Amino acid sequence: MWRLTDDFWDAWPQLAGMFPVAAKWAPLVQPGTWPDLDMLPLGAIRQRAVDAATAQPYSRFTVAEQQTMLTLWGLMRAPLMLGGHLPASEAVVPLVTNRDWLAMRRTITWARQTQATPTAITWQATSANRRYVARFNLTDAAVALTAADIGSGGGWSIWGQAPVASQLVVPAHGVALIRCHSEEGGED
C-alpha cells in the first residue's frame, strides 16, 4: 500500500483534485498493490479539525459527490477506510454496500482515465468478462448524456440501479457509472 495524497476531507475542490493524482498512478496499480487515496469522509464525522471543529457533524459531500468519490476509489482499487460513524449514517450504508459497485471494484484488472476536459472526465475499466465506463461531471450543473456520449453502448447504471435509458442525467459533481453489456452483446 502506498499513500498518494495529503489528508483528504469532504470538500469538492479536494475531490476534484484527486482526478489528476489517480490518472498519474493508475498505470502502477496491479494485483497486490493498494494505492491509498486516503479515508472516505462519509457519514457522521465527529472530528472536524479541518475547519476548526465546526458543529456540522456530517460529511459535506452531496450524494452525487459521494458516488463520484466511491467510483474513483473503486476504479483505483483503493483501500476503503471509512472516516465516519456508520450506525449514525443511514444514507451512506446503501452506497458502500452497492453490490454492483463492489463487484466492479473486486474484479477489475485494468482501469484508466481515457478522456479529460475542464468539464468532464471519463474512465474505462475491464474485468475478465466486463467493461465499465465512468463519466464524471465536473461542472456545477446537471448534464444530460446519452449512452453514446459516455461511450458505453448501453448497459446497467450502477448507481441508478437500472438499465441505461436513452438519456442519463448526471448531477453536478456526479458520475454515470455503467456496467456495459456483456461482450456477447446481450443484456446483463
Side-chain angles (χ1 to χ4, degrees):
M1 183 166 80
W2 70 95
R3 180 81 181 260
L4 301 181
T5 67
D6 291 332
D7 288 347
F8 175 74
W9 286 98
D10 52 337
W12 172 247
Q14 282 194 308
L15 180 52
M18 286 298 197
F19 286 100
V21 173
K24 174 183 174 182
W25 288 95
L28 300 175
V29 177
Q30 58 186 330
T33 65
W34 307 104
D36 179 15
L37 292 166
D38 204 15
M39 69 154 192
L40 298 164
L42 295 172
I45 301 171
R46 297 295 177 218
Q47 178 157 347
R48 302 300 306 217
V50 72
D51 27 58
T54 181
Q56 180 181 348
Y58 292 95
S59 175
R60 291 177 291 199
F61 282 140
T62 65
V63 171
E65 290 167 344
Q66 291 173 42
Q67 291 171 346
T68 290
M69 178 178 59
L70 289 170
T71 299
L72 187 60
W73 267 239
L75 290 165
M76 287 293 289
R77 289 162 285 170
L80 302 177
M81 299 176 279
L82 278 77
H85 181 61
L86 280 179
S89 305
E90 291 178 16
V92 173
V93 174
L95 295 174
V96 298
T97 60
N98 179 304
R99 289 178 186 234
D100 295 322
W101 170 71
L102 289 169
M104 179 201 74
R105 183 185 177 280
R106 184 178 59 253
T107 61
I108 58 173
T109 56
W110 177 91
R112 299 289 184 275
Q113 178 179 290
T114 57
Q115 178 192 24
T117 71
T119 60
I121 293 177
T122 303
W123 277 63
Q124 293 195 28
T126 56
S127 66
N129 61 355
R130 293 273 183 213
R131 186 170 71 90
Y132 299 88
V133 176
R135 177 71 172 258
F136 299 92
N137 176 9
L138 305 181
T139 72
D140 294 335
V143 295
L145 302 170
T146 66
D149 292 332
I150 298 169
S152 73
W156 181 259
S157 171
I158 289 179
W159 295 118
Q161 289 294 288
V164 174
S166 59
Q167 190 175 67
L168 295 167
V169 175
V170 183
H173 305 168
V175 62
L177 177 58
I178 309 300
R179 181 182 71 212
C180 300
H181 289 306
S182 65
E183 295 302 316
E184 295 78 34
E187 294 296 318
D188 291 321

